[in-house]
Amino acid sequence: MTARRLDGKQLAQTMQAEIAEETAKLLHHGIRPGLAAVLVGDNPASQIYVRNKRRACDKAGIASFLHELPAGTSEAELLELIDRLNADPAVHGILVQLPLPKHIDESTIVDAVSPLKDVDGFGPHSLGLLAAGRPRFLACTPHGVLQLLVRNDIPLAGAHVVVVGRSNIVGKPLALILMQKGIDATVTVCHSRSRDLTALTRSADVVVAALGRAHFLRADTIRPGAVVVDVGINRLPDGSLVGDVDFEPVSEVASAITPVPGGVGPMTITMLLYNTLQAARLSRKTRQSS
Ligand code: GUN
């Protein structure tokens, strides 16, 4: 069997066109969704990520405001900027690109972003609402995984989904999303200390690899016919980018699989746009009710 490719690039284009249409509707009501992107220091990968996010905003009609700060910026200075952005009515979403320089505490910064503007979905308020079954902003990568599965008609209700990786930005929120009423998956979260990982992944209808180790998931760890989602992005010594899944051999066993690149990656940016649009709508509601 050769697995069907779950094409994130194509779906991202479709969804970004839908978001552009919704953004245009909001513009008719006098609201232009706005995203503030904060970049501290000169990490080249972060610069590329932020540039791609701003490009996608432009295409969808979302305003983007770039705040580039030197690597030596103090935590207090960054907090001051976030306070200003929290209060700025033209800014509906705030994205602080991670990682931050070592002298700045990431949790302090993530906690400082207004819960109404937390379009990354990383903050404790967003995560708490999700855990309480009242989601507001879903973290972008796990939300992108959900959309890839749902829009490709992969059945999730009652399915056993095994998530490999328990990070705060992918594994943990993804498990919470898949457990939501209406999605109704049975979720197992495993990690580097899980006993007999292969027995767990082989019992899955859907396996999500999100642990950040190149080619970790091999063909014999997948049940024939399972769906495989690869969240990993790892750079090999020769410069090539690969996922956490050993793509070619796993494709011979799985029924559907996401490629790297072109799978989950493009969906992450798309869900950031989606959250920014949601944040702009939310600001309209809170303005009307105050
Ligand atoms: N660094 C790597 N991925 C992300 C992301 O999705 N959001 C932010 N803020 N920083 C990141």
Side-chain angles (χ1 to χ4, degrees):
M1 185 191 325
T2 297
R4 169 161 73 106
R5 303 263 172 124
L6 304 177
D7 185 344
K9 208 170 154 189
Q10 177 71 51
L11 179 57
Q13 270 179 15
T14 305
M15 288 195 70
Q16 288 185 23
E18 291 168 7
I19 292 166
E21 270 182 37
E22 293 299 313
T23 299
K25 282 187 201 160
L26 212 50
L27 267 173
H28 284 303
H29 294 280
I31 297 181
R32 179 162 157 93
L35 175 74
V38 180
L39 181 58
V40 187
D42 42 23
N43 179 323
S46 291
Q47 286 170 334
I48 294 170
Y49 284 136
V50 168
R51 192 179 64 207
N52 290 341
K53 288 170 184 176
R54 295 191 69 218
R55 269 194 197 147
C57 280
D58 269 357
K59 273 190 161 165
I62 293 174
S64 75
F65 312 101
L66 175 63
H67 296 267
E68 272 184 299
L69 305 176
T73 302
S74 69
E75 192 174 286
E77 285 168 325
L78 184 53
L79 285 172
E80 212 175 290
L81 171 63
I82 289 173
D83 274 350
R84 264 194 285 131
L85 298 174
N86 282 340
D88 185 342
V91 171
H92 301 103
I94 300 171
L95 163 98
V96 182
Q97 187 65 29
L98 304 178
L100 290 168
K102 295 245 174 320
H103 64 278
I104 298 177
D105 181 51
E106 281 186 359
S107 300
T108 302
I109 300 305
V110 167
D111 290 359
V113 172
S114 161
L116 296 172
K117 300 190 177 188
D118 178 27
V119 289
D120 251 332
F122 290 171
H125 206 98
S126 300
L127 286 170
L129 284 173
L130 173 61
R134 297 184 285 129
R136 181 190 285 154
F137 297 120
L138 298 178
C140 301
T141 299
H143 194 188
V145 170
L146 175 72
Q147 291 298 327
L148 260 174
L149 294 170
V150 168
R151 296 226 185 185
N152 280 289
D153 300 318
I154 305 293
L156 291 174
H160 184 204
V161 183
V162 172
V163 180
V164 189
R166 56 174 159 177
S167 71
N168 286 334
I169 60 174
V170 183
K172 221 184 274 179
L174 179 59
L176 290 169
I177 290 169
L178 293 167
M179 280 191 288
Q180 294 288 311
K181 277 219 158 75
I183 299 174
D184 302 323
T186 303
V187 184
T188 300
V189 181
C190 357
H191 47 81
S192 54
R193 305 202 57 184
S194 296
R195 212 180 308 142
D196 205 353
L197 200 57
T198 300
L200 293 167
T201 54
R202 280 191 69 90
S203 73
D205 302 303
V206 179
V207 180
V208 181
L211 70 164
R213 281 169 60 180
H215 293 161
F216 180 83
L217 226 61
R218 300 188 180 273
D220 61 348
T221 65
I222 304 294
R223 191 178 53 74
V227 174
V228 177
V229 177
D230 191 349
V231 181
I233 304 178
N234 310 286
R235 199 170 284 283
L236 295 181
D238 69 3
S240 57
L241 280 184
V242 297
D244 291 352
V245 176
D246 198 7
F247 186 82
E248 298 299 341
V250 171
S251 297
E252 294 303 315
V253 180
S255 62
I257 188 167
T258 64
V260 175
V264 174
M267 295 303 297
T268 296
I269 293 187
T270 306
M271 302 331 291
L272 176 69
L273 303 184
Y274 177 89
N275 280 350
T276 306
L277 174 66
Q278 290 294 100
R281 285 181 175 144
L282 197 61
S283 79
R284 191 165 160 235
K285 270 196 211 145
T286 42
R287 219 172 44 183
Q288 280 169 347
S289 61
S290 62

